[in-house]
Amino acid sequence: MPDRRSQRTSNSSFDPLNINLQPPANETEEQKAARLEAAWEATQVSRTIDAGLAESKKALEKKKRAVKILLLGQSESGKSSVLRNFRLSFTPKYFENERLVWKTVIQLNLINSIKKILTVLQEEWEELETDSAESKHEPALTSEHRRLALSLSPLLAFETSISRIMESSTGDYTVTVRPGGGWKDKLASFGHRSPSTPEAQSPTGETDSDPSQVTQVLAACKNEMIALWDDAIVRGVLERHGVYLQDDSGFFLDDTARIAALDYIPSDRDIMRARIKTLGVEEHRFVTESGFRAGTEFYITDLVCALNLTYPSQRSTWVPYFDDVQAILFLAPLAFWQSLDEDSKVNRVQDSLELWREIVGNPLLAKTAFILLFNKKDVLQAHIAAGVQVKKYVPSFGDRPNDVASVTKCTFVFSVADFRDKFSAYHRKFSPEPRPFIFYETEAIDTKSTAIILGEVQEQIIRNHLKDLDVM
Ligand SMILES: Nc1nc2c(ncn2[C@@H]2O[C@H](COP(=O)(O)OP(=O)(O)OP(=O)(O)O)[C@@H](O)[C@H]2O)c(=O)[nH]1
Ligand SMILES: [Mg+2]
């Protein structure tokens, strides 16, 4: 019998593995059955692993082909509103299904404004009790105001109860949720429970109210809410306390009659105006439902951080989300008159510029397309029209006219151009390689104009992406 070495030299198809897998010469029938059984099981395991690998590869390939967009901007810049506009334009069925969830958020926004007024009134009453008679402001609050405040107190219990369902907090009168989207499911399932389903209980044993009951209570309180907000004395107290509710995000007090109606269904614009603050990072996956590019898969990441100059270390947490992104939608509202909530010494536009500089200069994003959205165009226009001096906040604005006559057109254009030049210069100076960048002036609460812009943006991103994938 030839030894193994001679077999190796004489036979070119020699396979050492084969030799090792040969059954032993003296194998019994029982041993053979056991060996074949083991081999069969091993093949099954191997097939399962292969199928799993193929599946993961397919999913990875699919994700590679999907369009990945990052929404960036400081808090309240309008990232979530732009995302809602995306949903409305490209997944209208999904958007429609969420309408009742947004109804509850809007009701909460309204209740929060009432809560803020009641808190200020309470402060005023406490001050009146301690202050001397001379310092009392005229005209003063009356017993009728106390009656109004008392009649609105049931709303506060609902606010607590719904916040518990959503696992949200309402620090600073803003509904704040953790990322993950779970709050929407919780609200939706709560709202659609059958009457026989037991009511949810909080850990402290309190029973949560059904969001649908809020509609009843709001309708019952409608006239009192309107009376409170329309009251000249209440407005005077708010002003003395430096509270300007009209400037708040999620301000719906001027729409109380409509929102507190029993048959209220939020309009698209209401949904864009709703305020809910997201903490953390949220990835949204969706497939476009209709239109020219129907069936395109999108991943949009809403990157929310406390973006300000005093906490630059938080910005390093964004880096993992830069990988494989085709476009960044950067939101920069030109709120030159505002400072950051997190740091009153930092101007909002200055913070946006610093953030922009950091992002465009990031080498990981050298190939990423940048789309700059100067959002809240309407708010800027309103401030200019109200005579807010741009020069006071932006010295480089110089002596350009700031009066309403030449203003809305000229000054608005100039002021935007002024900021645009800065953003553009930073983009040129700090980009690792030259690349184009597009900008738009947007008003995310106006669904029609935003739909046109997002249509263009979507088309641009998809075209570039297909080019990169070599399928165009
Ligand atoms: N008037 C006006 N309001 C806007 C515009 N864009 C967004 N808003 C409102 O501004 C508020 C803040 O917008 P969001 O989309 O929640 O901002 P965000 O960037 O997601 O904020 P965070 O979740 O805190 O990071 C909301 O109440 C929006 O309705 C706009 O163009 N004009
Ligand atoms: Mg948000």
Side-chain angles (χ1 to χ4, degrees):
M1 198 169 131
D3 69 3
R4 284 191 177 180
R5 198 171 337 129
S6 63
Q7 200 179 16
R8 208 177 295 157
T9 48
S10 65
N11 185 355
S12 61
S13 65
F14 164 76
D15 180 354
L17 195 62
N18 220 4
I19 297 255
N20 289 330
L21 289 177
Q22 293 294 321
N26 52 356
E27 187 181 47
T28 65
E29 277 307 309
E30 231 172 42
Q31 286 168 331
K32 184 178 172 187
R35 179 174 54 77
L36 290 177
E37 170 85 16
W40 185 84
E41 271 171 19
T43 313
Q44 294 311 307
V45 171
S46 163
R47 279 193 190 145
T48 312
I49 292 172
D50 285 351
L53 284 175
E55 201 58 41
S56 317
K57 199 172 158 212
K58 235 164 74 187
L60 211 70
E61 278 299 311
K62 205 163 156 250
K63 189 159 184 187
K64 218 164 121 193
R65 296 184 77 80
V67 178
K68 275 148 271 142
I69 298 176
L70 204 56
L71 276 171
L72 263 183
Q74 61 197 191
S75 184
E76 278 200 82
S77 57
K79 299 178 293 292
S80 302
S81 310
V82 166
L83 184 72
R84 274 172 240 163
N85 276 285
F86 251 102
R87 286 289 197 184
L88 175 63
S89 286
F90 306 121
T91 56
K93 278 191 216 129
Y94 177 97
F95 186 87
E96 202 48 51
N97 286 341
E98 283 197 334
R99 200 173 287 276
L100 288 185
V101 167
W102 288 112
K103 172 176 168 175
T104 309
V105 175
I106 292 163
Q107 290 172 326
L108 269 185
N109 285 167
L110 181 62
I111 295 176
N112 270 323
S113 295
I114 296 288
K115 188 175 165 187
K116 206 164 175 177
I117 299 179
L118 297 184
T119 307
V120 173
L121 293 189
Q122 189 55 41
E123 281 169 19
E124 177 83 357
W125 278 313
E126 282 166 16
E127 277 171 26
L128 286 176
E129 273 165 25
T130 51
D131 283 2
S132 62
E134 303 88 69
S135 64
K136 282 184 181 148
H137 301 287
E138 288 297 336
L141 293 169
T142 64
S143 56
E144 175 57 15
H145 293 110
R146 280 197 192 270
R147 190 198 66 79
L148 270 182
L150 202 65
S151 65
L152 292 172
S153 55
L155 290 175
L156 308 187
F158 273 92
E159 192 258 346
T160 315
S161 177
I162 296 172
S163 295
R164 196 158 47 222
I165 296 167
M166 295 166 72
E167 293 180 17
S168 67
S169 63
T170 42
D172 208 17
Y173 306 96
T174 305
V175 190
T176 306
V177 286
R178 280 177 288 139
W183 64 272
K184 282 186 189 168
D185 297 336
K186 284 180 195 121
L187 264 191
S189 64
F190 209 99
H192 296 121
R193 277 193 337 209
S194 69
S196 58
T197 319
E199 299 218 306
Q201 281 213 336
S202 75
T204 54
E206 291 164 78
T207 304
D208 281 329
S209 331
D210 192 315
S212 62
Q213 294 172 340
V214 181
T215 305
Q216 316 281 335
V217 179
L218 274 174
C221 294
K222 184 169 81 180
N223 292 339
E224 282 77 8
M225 286 193 286
I226 295 173
L228 187 76
W229 177 235
D230 283 351
D231 190 286
I233 299 175
V234 171
R235 295 278 184 113
V237 172
L238 290 173
E239 207 175 313
R240 266 202 307 283
H241 285 250
V243 174
Y244 299 95
L245 291 165
Q246 295 94 324
D247 294 344
D248 285 356
S249 297
F251 169 76
F252 287 102
L253 276 173
D254 282 345
D255 304 277
T256 304
R258 195 168 55 84
I259 291 173
L262 278 173
D263 57 356
Y264 170 63
I265 301 288
S267 66
D268 294 348
R269 189 179 171 87
D270 288 345
I271 294 175
M272 298 310 160
R273 286 170 56 207
R275 171 64 173 148
I276 187 151
K277 182 174 173 147
T278 345
L279 287 179
V281 180
E282 271 194 326
E283 186 182 67
H284 302 261
R285 176 195 165 272
F286 60 88
V287 176
T288 53
E289 289 169 3
S290 53
F292 174 48
R293 299 285 188 188
T296 309
E297 191 180 17
F298 274 86
Y299 286 84
I300 300 190
T301 306
D302 185 343
L303 200 45
V304 195
C305 311
L307 310 179
N308 69 73
L309 295 170
T310 47
Y311 305 111
S313 60
Q314 294 202 4
R315 295 181 174 179
S316 60
T317 57
W318 313 329
V319 172
Y321 303 98
F322 291 168
D323 192 30
D324 211 16
V325 165
Q326 280 98 44
I328 287 193
L329 286 191
F330 188 97
L331 279 108
L334 297 180
F336 59 81
W337 60 93
Q338 273 183 349
S339 56
L340 291 178
D341 286 345
E342 303 92 332
D343 188 342
S344 60
K345 289 190 289 304
V346 181
N347 180 285
R348 274 190 177 266
V349 178
Q350 186 59 31
D351 182 67
S352 273
L353 259 172
E354 289 300 326
L355 176 54
W356 173 252
R357 187 174 75 161
E358 217 166 302
I359 298 290
V360 295
N362 192 304
L364 289 175
L365 298 170
K367 302 255 180 274
T368 309
F370 276 81
I371 296 151
L372 179 58
L373 304 184
F374 288 125
N375 194 34
K376 302 202 178 181
K377 182 173 85 169
D378 57 316
V379 185
L380 175 66
Q381 275 168 326
H383 275 75
I384 295 285
V388 178
Q389 296 291 317
V390 185
K391 184 167 76 168
K392 191 173 145 203
Y393 302 89
V394 187
S396 63
F397 186 74
D399 287 324
R400 293 176 177 122
N402 205 84
D403 60 299
V404 178
S406 46
V407 187
T408 320
K409 272 201 160 112
C410 293
T411 315
F412 173 66
V413 172
F414 277 141
S415 65
V416 169
D418 190 56
F419 292 121
R420 193 183 69 208
D421 286 350
K422 280 205 176 79
F423 277 90
S424 180
Y426 276 18
H427 185 263
R428 256 196 324 276
K429 193 166 162 197
F430 296 103
S431 284
E433 358 181 321
R435 62 184 152 176
F437 99 92
I438 323 167
F439 83 92
Y440 294 94
E441 289 151 27
T442 53
E443 183 185 337
I445 56 168
D446 177 23
T447 52
K448 282 208 177 84
S449 64
T450 310
I452 295 170
I453 291 171
L454 291 184
E456 279 179 33
V457 165
Q458 184 223 32
E459 186 55 26
Q460 194 106 13
I461 297 173
I462 293 179
R463 277 176 160 276
N464 287 346
H465 184 43
L466 294 182
K467 237 190 263 165
D468 287 346
L469 289 173
D470 247 0
V471 287
M472 257 185 79

